[in-house]
Amino acid sequence: MSLLDYFRATKPKSATIAKERLQILVAHERSERNRPSYLPQLQKELLEVIRKYVHVDQEAISVKFEQDENQETLELNIVLPDFQQENKSVNI
Amino acid sequence: MARIIVVTSGKGGVGKTTTSAAIAMGLARRGFKTAVIDFDVGLRNLDLIMGCERRVVYDFINVINGEASLNQALIRDKNCNLLYILPASQTRDKDALTLEGVGRILEELSKDFKYIVCDSPAGIEKGANLALYYADDAFVVTNPEVSSVRDSDRMLGILASKSRRAELDEEPIKEYLLLTRYDPNRVRSGEMLGLDDVQDILSLQLLGIIPESKSVLTASNAGIPVILDEKSEAGQAYEDVVARYLGEDRPHRFIDDKKGFFRKLFGGRS
């Protein structure tokens, strides 16, 4: 600590803000980039198959791809339409 | 066989052409026959930075189309007879640059040259992709600024997935960082991302820090690569970059500013 520090403002420096913003953004963009390119097509085809049996909306199906050091996980979540006033959801 | 270097960044205006001109000159002055190619079709500028704009007769696309031979299109640098410039085309459409055509020219150059420096255009369009496709090494030019760091990271993703080496599953392109337009005073006062901040995000092998320097504009005004201005900090920094790239161990400079009298007195931060 120098004497001058006493007179310095304590609000965060702009470079600190820049770094924090970048870290969040870059982490997000890297995870997007590493997703397999077949995901949108997979989602489309799954929806087609499911629609043969039940009518579901585009939004009712979500495909999540997660990656950590040891494994890659593909999570598929389909929300079935209201049936007898309850939400059924299928997890594969 | 030549070693192919791409100078890339994603973002425009960070110093790709300045860097291409400087390192090509640095390599040639050390005795390696070097070619520097402008991939910015439609917006060529390397010729201006190298000071050979009035000697351009044929360009890269003329050679690809077989309208001129490589020897006719290559311009020998006026300061160093081991350095040759292949200018970009100014008027033709970008589709003239093809993967096969570029590959053919690089292969022909490889027979005779030791280093080929590819000056990439900004963006992630065709010209940028072609500039990096055949590369062995990538110099990622980054400014200590949010959009430049983000674009560099994006570029790293492309280098790792869309190059010839990636497609053939060969050893990946070797990626190096060049941090340009760096102002140690502003880093110290917390107004600019520092080397550590940028490295926390990109974590690349650092080839050098090029300090913000008036000599860069002076050099481009005159059409002389800044590395020839041996008195300037930027010139010296590029000289270090070339030395490190060739395997010399040189301590990094220009990271910190020179300590002023008052800072010494009050014991400022390091």
Side-chain angles (χ1 to χ4, degrees):
Chain A
M1 283 287 272
S2 78
L3 192 60
L4 280 177
D5 282 352
Y6 261 113
F7 304 103
R8 286 197 175 116
T10 48
K11 65 173 182 182
K13 305 285 188 193
S14 67
T16 312
I17 300 167
K19 188 185 177 185
E20 285 168 5
R21 289 174 64 214
L22 266 173
Q23 280 175 322
I24 295 165
L25 180 70
V26 166
H28 177 71
E29 287 182 342
R30 280 182 190 162
S31 67
E32 295 265 297
R33 193 192 297 156
N34 292 333
R35 288 162 56 145
S37 55
Y38 58 74
L39 274 192
Q41 185 66 22
L42 176 74
Q43 181 160 357
K44 189 169 159 272
E45 287 179 19
L46 279 170
L47 191 66
E48 281 166 13
V49 172
I50 291 159
R51 273 184 179 159
K52 282 186 187 170
Y53 304 95
V54 252
H55 184 77
V56 288
D57 292 332
Q58 179 82 39
E59 299 82 53
I61 176 168
S62 77
V63 180
K64 263 193 217 157
F65 181 79
E66 273 166 24
Q67 209 175 16
D68 59 35
E69 277 166 28
N70 304 318
Q71 57 180 2
E72 295 172 342
T73 327
L74 189 65
E75 186 188 310
L76 183 64
N77 193 33
I78 305 154
V79 180
L80 294 177
D82 276 356
F83 182 65
Q84 295 174 344
Q85 280 137 9
E86 69 178 90
N87 247 344
K88 278 189 185 171
S89 127
V90 180
N91 268 302
I92 303 169
Chain B
M1 271 301 279
R3 192 90 188 152
I4 301 174
I5 302 168
V6 61
V7 178
T8 187
S9 71
K11 192 175 181 298
V14 297
K16 281 183 297 299
T17 302
T18 300
T19 298
S20 299
I23 61 157
M25 177 63 81
L27 289 166
R29 290 218 302 165
R30 281 167 174 261
F32 301 107
K33 194 170 178 187
T34 302
V36 55
I37 308 177
D38 191 347
F39 274 78
D40 204 347
V41 173
L43 287 170
R44 80 163 169 240
N45 275 316
L46 180 68
D47 54 337
L48 265 178
I49 302 300
M50 300 288 305
C52 66
E53 70 277 7
R54 294 176 64 179
R55 293 197 286 144
V56 176
V57 183
Y58 295 109
D59 59 52
F60 197 7
I61 286 173
N62 289 137
V63 183
I64 288 179
N65 291 344
E67 295 151 359
S69 72
L70 204 42
N71 280 333
Q72 284 176 300
L74 284 170
I75 303 165
R76 180 184 279 203
D77 187 82
K78 60 190 175 204
N79 294 300
C80 180
N81 62 12
L82 287 175
L83 178 58
Y84 292 79
I85 300 114
L86 185 55
S89 154
Q90 185 67 295
T91 52
R92 315 255 193 122
D93 80 301
K94 286 178 199 247
D95 291 335
L97 217 54
T98 61
L99 191 64
E100 180 273 326
V102 172
R104 193 157 31 85
I105 307 298
L106 290 178
E107 203 179 322
E108 201 179 330
L109 284 170
S110 285
K111 290 175 194 156
D112 198 21
F113 286 83
K114 191 75 186 67
Y115 289 101
I116 302 170
V117 178
C118 302
D119 182 21
S120 172
I124 49 173
E125 303 295 314
K126 195 175 181 187
N129 284 322
L130 285 175
L132 69 83
Y133 186 80
Y134 294 99
D136 301 305
D137 300 311
F139 288 13
V140 180
V141 182
T142 307
N143 289 171
E145 180 270 327
V146 284
S147 53
S148 175
V149 175
R150 178 203 207 168
D151 288 359
S152 292
D153 188 69
R154 186 90 196 273
M155 226 50 232
L156 293 175
I158 295 174
L159 285 165
S161 61
K162 302 217 170 124
S163 63
R164 185 189 63 85
R165 282 172 175 268
E167 284 179 5
L168 299 181
D169 221 5
E170 288 180 8
E171 191 184 331
I173 295 177
K174 182 91 192 74
E175 299 154 345
Y176 298 96
L177 175 67
L178 257 92
L179 201 51
T180 55
R181 310 199 68 164
Y182 194 83
D183 185 338
N185 288 306
R186 302 193 77 188
V187 171
R188 180 186 286 275
S189 64
E191 301 168 57
M192 183 182 267
L193 290 167
L195 170 66
D196 294 342
D197 299 326
V198 175
Q199 282 293 54
D200 276 352
I201 291 161
L202 299 180
S203 21
L204 294 173
Q205 186 175 333
L206 179 70
L207 266 189
I209 291 168
I210 315 297
E212 175 78 59
S213 164
K214 287 180 180 173
S215 54
V216 173
L217 181 60
T218 312
S220 83
N221 285 343
I224 300 164
V226 70
I227 198 169
L228 294 178
D229 184 354
E230 289 162 5
K231 288 198 184 76
S232 73
E233 289 195 331
Q236 292 171 20
Y238 275 117
E239 187 59 44
D240 284 354
V241 164
V242 173
R244 288 190 197 105
Y245 175 68
L246 294 172
E248 271 180 52
D249 188 18
R250 289 198 183 183
H252 285 285
R253 299 192 270 173
F254 315 111
I255 297 175
D256 210 347
D257 61 348
K258 297 164 192 86
K259 284 202 170 186
F261 171 72
F262 283 101
R263 192 164 281 128
K264 273 185 194 153
L265 201 65
F266 291 105
R269 322 163 166 189
S270 56

